[in-house]
Amino acid sequence: MRPVLSLVFCILWVLPGWAAGLTYRLEPRLIAPGTYVFEGAVEHFTTQNGGNILNTGFIVTNDGVIVIQTGPSRRYGEEMRAAIAKVTDKPILKVFVSNQHPDYFLGSQAFADVPIAALPGTIDGIRVEGRAVTENMYRLIGDWMRGTDAVVPSEPVFAATQVYGRHRLRLIPLSGHTQADLAIYDETTRVLFAGGLVFSDRAPTTPHADIPRWLDALDELATLDSAVLVPNHGVIRADNSAIAQTRDYLNWLTAALGRAADGGLDMTEVMALDTPARFASLAVLREEFMRSVAHLYPKIEQSVLSKVN
Amino acid sequence: MIRIAGLALAMALSAAPAAADQDATMDPFRSVMWDDMRAVILGGGAVLFDQRVRVTAPASAEDALNVPVMVDASSLNAESKVEEIVVFADMNPIPRILNYRPASAKPVIGLRLKLQQATPIRAAARTGDGVWHVGGVFVDAAGGGCTSPALAHGDPQWERHLGEVQARAWGQAADGAVRVRFRIRHPMDTGLAPGIPAFYLENLAVHDGQGQELGRIDTFEPVSENPVFTLEVSPSPASRTLRLTGRDNNGTPVLADIPLPWRQSALP
């Protein structure tokens, strides 16, 4: 009896994840013909959620499968690929990565055998900062990251319409959330994978943000006749309301930080400011607002401090 | 107008639980470095962990090179005037961040600092009786702040801007205090980044229009690059400007006159 038990323990120890019970339990949700999404939690990166906070997706076409974002870790990418294989036995044709933030691309090791496409700015961003963001993810989510390395996307893409089976995918290069944000609009199903630009009932993140350019990008996305909008984080909706919500928040944020700087507030005082009641429905609002103060306030306060020598 | 939320969720605010059940001489963070801090930074003086020294900082440092911290010890003043505030971080390779002596100013200072790893950030306020009242917060950080080269080294023109001051003062409160915020261009090199010697501002002072000293700050390596400070000073009513002076460890002077906002009381 005892040797058997020891053997069981050995196996549990040897197979990483089993012992800790780490699995993302990814369940694809059909949102349009041939189009599936793995919905992430509307939370921050934690050791509980393993970084599964992003809406990733895939499109099954007659030619093969198109994967959109690869998730926060190698484990996520592998589980995602296994979950796709349960839906279809078609080969994976290509992976798109929308921006350089860690939850978009750290699952790419599981797709190393197929082209991984991204905007040139995203490829540069991952090349320069990929290692540092990967190390920070190990700090934030721990064992979920085991074996994860940053993979620099292999294929630069530009504005184009690419056809896979009967799906016509319009690649829209934008920026503002980061230096390069790829939105993918499926003209066939009218599904918009908005990438990092649109948040839905979840406070926007701003570590690489250029807000005026971001607002321009939202205007461009609003012109699309989308039937389903997949935001990077938060609730998937059958209308464009998440675009307006993101725009409203960004406008408020810029104005509030400008007012605070003009009123002479120090950064910690700005972090403690009240947020308007209409944003109470946004998940992780307080945390993201405080992060945004750290990202944006130093530059904004300089605009109210005049040079005196 | 701007309203400040009573206590923000993710904001760490004076975590020192100086409650009745807590021994006010016991370090609330149980830091392994505390005994050293007390001996080296506070010279072994009498110490009281005291919630009235409010230290505010985000619980997690988004940018380890620029961690905002605000210290407010003004509620000690009613009992005994605060003569000096020392800000330090136990786990930093260079723990001492600054000393502030508010001569004619509230014992309040806002600053930004570099963190090398998660650490308690503390402020010790020394009152007239020689007792150090210590408040603090624990701040988590990805780290690397002290050993990273300053961003200035990516700009070949940085020396041209050395010692430039941007500043503004805000209207007089009922108690005569003026809030002043200033930013000084300086790389604040810690000496811990490979191949870059320590080069940092060592002292700063603010005087009023009559030459009266309002406050003096000794700054050390962990203060952030291009430091930004917030002070609340009480200049004489006739003052039209504040004078900021200082120098770095290479002897480069800092000199700037900061105009005060127009004030009714300054009119003849």
Side-chain angles (χ1 to χ4, degrees), chain A residues 262 266 269 295 301 306 309, chain B residues 62 112 165 167 170 179 230:
Chain A
D262 204 40
D266 197 278
E269 296 168 320
H295 303 144
E301 77 184 347
S306 338
N309 67 349
Chain B
E62 180 64 18
R112 275 163 225 171
V165 178
W170 278 267
R179 171 167 284 211
T230 302

Side-chain angles (χ1 to χ4, degrees), chain A residues 136 139 261-269 272-274 290-291 295 301-302 304-309, chain B residues 2-3 5 11 56 62 68 70 110 112 140 142 163-168 170 179 181 183 228 230 255 257:
Chain A
N136 195 35
R139 188 180 73 88
D262 204 40
L265 296 197
D266 197 278
M267 214 151 130
T268 57
E269 296 168 320
L273 289 178
D274 278 336
M290 288 178 61
R291 292 181 73 214
H295 303 144
E301 77 184 347
Q302 273 190 58
V304 306
L305 301 179
S306 338
K307 199 170 163 309
V308 290
N309 67 349
Chain B
I2 294 162
R3 286 188 303 136
M11 229 32 195
T56 316
E62 180 64 18
M70 190 108 186
R112 275 163 225 171
D140 189 19
E164 267 181 23
V165 178
Q166 288 169 269
R168 184 165 155 192
W170 278 267
R179 171 167 284 211
R181 308 195 69 220
R183 175 179 189 261
V228 181
T230 302
L255 177 64
D257 286 319

Side-chain angles (χ1 to χ4, degrees), chain B:
Chain B
M1 266 312 287
I2 294 162
R3 286 188 303 136
I4 302 209
L7 185 82
L9 259 175
M11 229 32 195
L13 177 74
S14 296
D21 59 328
Q22 183 79 29
D23 182 353
T25 59
M26 284 269 287
D27 173 21
F29 300 112
R30 307 274 189 276
S31 163
V32 294
M33 295 301 289
W34 171 247
D35 290 340
D36 282 352
M37 293 297 113
R38 182 174 175 185
V40 175
I41 309 267
L42 305 181
V47 164
L48 216 57
F49 290 98
D50 194 334
Q51 273 187 320
R52 288 175 298 176
V53 180
R54 287 159 45 99
V55 181
T56 316
S60 175
E62 180 64 18
D63 175 359
L65 294 167
N66 288 286
V67 182
V69 177
M70 190 108 186
V71 178
D72 182 350
S74 38
S75 58
L76 284 179
N77 259 357
E79 195 176 292
S80 176
K81 185 176 172 350
V82 173
E83 296 184 341
E84 182 174 16
I85 294 173
V86 179
V87 182
F88 57 100
D90 295 25
M91 299 306 207
N92 250 15
I94 303 169
R96 193 192 288 269
I97 295 154
L98 62 77
N99 303 339
Y100 178 44
R101 284 185 297 285
S104 181
K106 288 189 192 171
V108 170
I109 185 165
L111 66 143
R112 275 163 225 171
L113 51 88
K114 299 181 280 245
L115 285 189
Q116 185 69 6
Q117 63 174 83
T119 176
I121 297 177
R122 311 195 199 240
R126 183 168 51 78
T127 43
D129 54 5
V131 175
W132 290 102
H133 299 260
V134 181
V137 291
F138 190 86
V139 175
D140 189 19
C146 287
T147 49
S148 306
L151 298 177
H153 298 296
D155 173 8
Q157 307 290 316
W158 70 269
E159 277 179 290
R160 278 195 197 175
H161 299 287
L162 189 67
E164 267 181 23
V165 178
Q166 288 169 269
R168 184 165 155 192
W170 278 267
Q172 204 166 15
D175 57 4
V178 168
R179 171 167 284 211
V180 59
R181 308 195 69 220
F182 52 89
R183 175 179 189 261
I184 306 168
R185 292 282 287 266
H186 203 285
M188 297 300 287
D189 291 310
T190 60
L192 302 177
I196 303 172
F199 180 45
Y200 58 97
L201 290 165
E202 281 189 325
N203 57 58
L204 298 166
V206 180
H207 292 82
D208 71 7
Q210 272 64 50
Q212 179 81 26
E213 182 174 300
L214 306 177
R216 177 171 288 275
I217 312 171
D218 301 326
T219 45
F220 296 90
E221 297 93 323
V223 171
S224 295
E225 179 178 5
N226 301 328
V228 181
F229 294 100
T230 302
L231 304 178
E232 295 193 358
V233 295
S234 303
S236 67
S239 297
R240 300 302 173 104
T241 57
L242 298 173
R243 170 156 286 195
L244 175 68
T245 56
R247 69 171 169 73
D248 66 25
N249 64 335
N250 280 18
T252 322
V254 174
L255 177 64
D257 286 319
I258 304 166
L260 284 169
W262 182 83
R263 291 183 295 163
Q264 189 78 41
S265 60
L267 289 177

